[in-house]
Amino acid sequence: MTTATAADTGNGHITGFGTKGYRAYVLVALTLIYTLNFIDRTIITVVAQPIINTFSLSDTQWGLLTGPPFALFYAVMGIPIAMWADRGNRVFIITLCVIVWSLMTVFCGLAASFIWLLLFRIGVAIGEAGCTPPANSIITDYFPPKSRANAIGIYSMGVTIGGVLAQLFGGQLASLQGETFGGWINAIGLGFLFSGINWAEVEGWRLVFVIVGAPGILVALILWLTTREPPRGYSDPKSTVVEKAGFFEAFKEFGKKPTFWTISLGAAFVAFVGYGLISFQAPFLMRVHGVSVAEAAINYGAPLAAVAAFGTFLGGFLSEKLAPRFPAVAAWLPGVGLLIAIPAYILAFLSPTLTFAFWMWVIAAIAHYAYLGAQYTVSTSIVSPRSRATTVSVMLLIISLIGNGIGPLFTGMMSSAFMGGIVKKNGLEEAFASFNPGLCGARIAELGEAGPALCSAYSEGLRQSMVATVIFLVVAAAFYFLASRTYLKDRWSPATA
C-alpha cells in the first residue's frame, strides 16, 4: 500500500484523485468491503429460525440478539474509530477492521450457547464500526462533488448486494448436512485438520458463519496492498492539504446544522423498520407461508435483496439527474419513496398468498432502499472535508442506536406480545407454557391437540408485528422532508468556511 501526496490539488474538484480507471477500482474495492460488511452482519438473519430452534429462543430473545448489543457496541466504537480515521491512514483502519469482523463471524459458527453467540456478535459489531466512516471520507477525496452522489450511491449498494449474497450463500449452505460437508473436506485431503469433529452433529447454520466469514481476511489484505491513501480534501474546490479536525471541533461544525439532525433521524427510523423486518424476514416466510430455510433465502430473500440494491442505485441515479433542477432532491426523494413503500409492505404482510405478497414486497423494497445513498450524500456535503468521517460516525451512532438497537427488539417484542394475546384469547395458556417452536411444521403432532392453534398464533403474532413496524416509515418520511427545507442553506463550501 502506498500513501499519496498532495503535490497539486488545484484541479482536484474537476478531475478527482487518480486516473478514472483507478478511481473506479477503489470504488469497487470499497463497495466489495461494504458488501462483506453486510453479508457478515445479516447472515444471522438468513438462518434465524434454525438458531431460534437450536437455542429455544423466544422472538423477544431473538430481537435482543440481533438488536441492542450489536447496535450499542457498533455505535460506541464508531466514534473513536472515526476520529482515528480523521487523523490516521484510512486504508489501514479499514483493513484492520475487516480482519476483526471476519474472524468474529467465523467464531459465531462455533458458539456453544446463546451467550457465546451474543458475545461473538458484539465482536462483529466492533469490527464493522470501522468500515463506513473512513470509506465515505476516502470516496469524497477520490471523487469531485459532481460525481459523489452517484459514487456514494454505488458504494451504498453494498448494503443490498450483501443482502443478496447473504441470502444466496446462507440459503444454500444452511441446507448442507454436517456429514456432507465433512465428506467434502475429506475428499480434498484436509480431513486430518478436523479429525476431532463429529460432522454428524454439526448444524448447517454453523457452517454458514465459518464459510462466509473467512474470505474477508484475504480481501482485507488485497485492499491494503493495492489502495492509495488520498490527500484529505483533494477533490474539493481550492483545496490544499487539510488539517485533521478533533471530535469536538467536528461536532461544533455539524451540530449547528439542522439538516444533520433531521437527516440522521430520518435514516434512523428507516433503519428501525429495515432492521426489524430483515431480522424476521426468514421466520415470517417460514412460519406464515411454510417455506424451508433454503426456499426463504434463495427464492424470496435473494430477489428481494437484489431489487433493494436496485432501489439504492436508483435513488442515487435520480438524485444526480434531478439535482440541476431540484437542488435539494437528495434530501426529499427518500421521503417520497417511503410513502410508496408503506402500503406496499402492509399488503405484502397481510396477503394470504405468497405470490401476491412477494410482488408487493418487491415494490416496497425498491421504494424503501432509495434512501441509502442520500444519508451519506447529505451528511458529507454539509461539513468540511476534515470533519466528514466523524460526521458520518455520529450519524451512524444515531442510526445504530435507534435503528439496529431498537428495531429488531421492537419487532420481536411485538411478535411475542401479539402471540401472547392470541394465546390468551383462545385459552391456550397451559399448552403455551411448554411450547417448543421448533416442532411447528413436520413435527407439529408432538405438540399435542393444541399444536395447530399454537403454531397459528406463532405465525400470526409475527405477521401483526411486521405491519406495526412498517408504520414507523411515516415518521422517517417526515424527517426527510424537514431535512430538505434546510439542506441548501446548510451545505458546506469554501466560501462559507
Side-chain angles (χ1 to χ4, degrees):
M1 198 282 302
T2 58
T3 301
T5 59
D8 179 13
T9 61
N11 293 321
H13 64 291
I14 298 174
T15 64
F17 179 72
T19 65
K20 184 177 180 179
Y22 186 69
R23 284 197 301 277
Y25 165 77
V26 171
L27 181 59
V28 169
L30 292 174
T31 303
L32 175 60
I33 292 291
Y34 203 27
T35 299
L36 290 176
N37 181 299
F38 265 80
I39 290 176
D40 292 354
R41 183 184 307 190
T42 62
I43 196 68
I44 192 172
T45 66
V46 179
V47 290
Q49 197 63 47
I51 295 175
I52 291 171
N53 295 343
T54 294
F55 298 120
S56 298
L57 306 179
S58 68
D59 282 350
T60 299
Q61 287 177 304
W62 177 251
L64 175 67
L65 177 63
T66 57
F70 185 99
L72 179 62
F73 280 87
Y74 184 88
V76 168
M77 294 302 298
I79 290 180
I81 293 175
M83 292 172 65
W84 181 18
D86 275 335
R87 291 170 167 78
N89 187 305
R90 293 164 289 185
V91 177
F92 172 75
I93 292 169
I94 294 173
T95 300
L96 178 63
C97 289
V98 174
I99 292 173
V100 170
W101 89 57
S102 297
L103 286 173
M104 291 297 107
T105 300
V106 170
F107 292 159
C108 284
L110 309 179
S113 67
F114 171 75
I115 296 299
W116 276 111
L117 183 57
L118 182 64
L119 291 175
F120 292 140
R121 285 291 292 171
I122 289 172
V124 175
I126 292 172
E128 293 195 347
C131 176
T132 292
N136 273 273
S137 180
I138 288 174
I139 289 172
T140 59
D141 287 337
Y142 265 93
F143 290 86
K146 66 179 181 180
S147 302
R148 283 180 192 161
N150 197 38
I152 293 176
I154 291 171
Y155 169 78
S156 299
M157 287 173 65
V159 173
T160 43
I161 294 173
V164 172
L165 296 179
Q167 298 287 341
L168 289 175
F169 287 125
Q172 291 282 6
L173 296 173
S175 61
L176 276 179
Q177 299 297 319
E179 289 178 301
T180 303
F181 186 76
W184 178 76
I185 290 291
N186 289 328
I188 62 174
L190 296 178
F192 69 94
L193 295 174
F194 308 95
S195 58
I197 296 178
N198 181 358
W199 288 105
E201 297 179 357
V202 177
E203 298 163 289
W205 66 264
R206 297 184 182 278
L207 298 174
V208 171
F209 284 108
V210 174
I211 295 172
V212 303
I217 300 171
L218 177 61
V219 173
L221 295 176
I222 293 173
L223 179 80
W224 168 248
L225 295 171
T226 61
T227 304
R228 302 170 66 194
E229 173 76 6
R232 296 174 195 273
Y234 183 96
S235 297
D236 285 289
K238 301 178 181 178
S239 178
T240 57
V241 177
V242 180
E243 297 178 0
K244 295 125 182 174
F247 172 77
F248 292 105
E249 187 176 352
F251 190 92
K252 182 178 179 181
E253 184 177 349
F254 65 73
K256 63 184 179 182
K257 304 283 182 76
T259 305
F260 172 81
W261 301 106
T262 50
I263 203 72
S264 296
L265 288 171
F269 278 99
V270 178
F272 174 95
V273 174
Y275 281 113
L277 298 185
I278 195 65
S279 294
F280 288 90
Q281 175 176 289
F284 174 85
L285 289 166
M286 295 174 69
R287 296 180 200 175
V288 176
H289 296 289
V291 301
S292 67
V293 177
E295 290 173 325
I298 297 169
N299 296 344
Y300 301 101
L304 287 171
V307 298
F310 173 72
T312 302
F313 171 79
L314 184 63
F317 177 80
L318 289 177
S319 292
E320 186 168 320
K321 294 299 181 182
L322 295 175
R325 185 175 179 183
F326 304 103
V329 65
W332 59 255
L333 186 63
V336 175
L338 297 177
L339 294 181
I340 295 172
I342 294 169
Y345 270 134
I346 292 175
L347 287 172
F349 298 140
L350 296 181
S351 171
T353 66
L354 184 52
T355 300
F356 182 76
F358 173 73
W359 287 111
M360 287 297 98
W361 213 331
V362 166
I363 294 171
I366 293 173
H368 178 168
Y369 285 93
Y371 87 98
L372 268 174
Q375 69 186 31
Y376 300 127
T377 300
V378 173
S379 63
T380 55
S381 65
I382 61 175
V383 295
S384 61
R386 63 206 302 264
S387 301
R388 284 173 182 157
T390 300
T391 300
V392 170
S393 75
V394 175
M395 179 187 68
L396 290 178
L397 182 149
I398 297 170
I399 293 172
S400 184
L401 291 178
I402 296 176
N404 199 7
I406 306 176
L409 182 59
F410 173 84
T411 305
M413 290 178 65
M414 293 300 293
S415 178
S416 295
F418 283 128
M419 180 185 179
I422 297 171
V423 166
K424 184 176 181 180
K425 180 180 178 180
N426 291 282
L428 300 170
E429 293 96 328
E430 184 176 346
F432 179 64
S434 58
F435 175 62
N436 180 356
L439 299 178
C440 288
R443 301 172 61 190
I444 193 171
E446 297 179 36
L447 290 170
E449 185 178 346
L454 286 172
C455 291
S456 176
Y458 189 48
S459 62
E460 187 60 29
L462 182 55
R463 184 201 296 269
Q464 295 179 18
S465 177
M466 299 286 263
V467 172
T469 301
V470 166
I471 301 301
F472 282 88
L473 290 181
V474 175
V475 179
F479 277 117
Y480 276 105
F481 290 129
L482 286 174
S484 70
R485 300 182 64 179
T486 57
Y487 175 48
L488 298 180
K489 179 182 177 182
D490 286 347
R491 277 199 300 191
W492 178 86
S493 70
T496 60

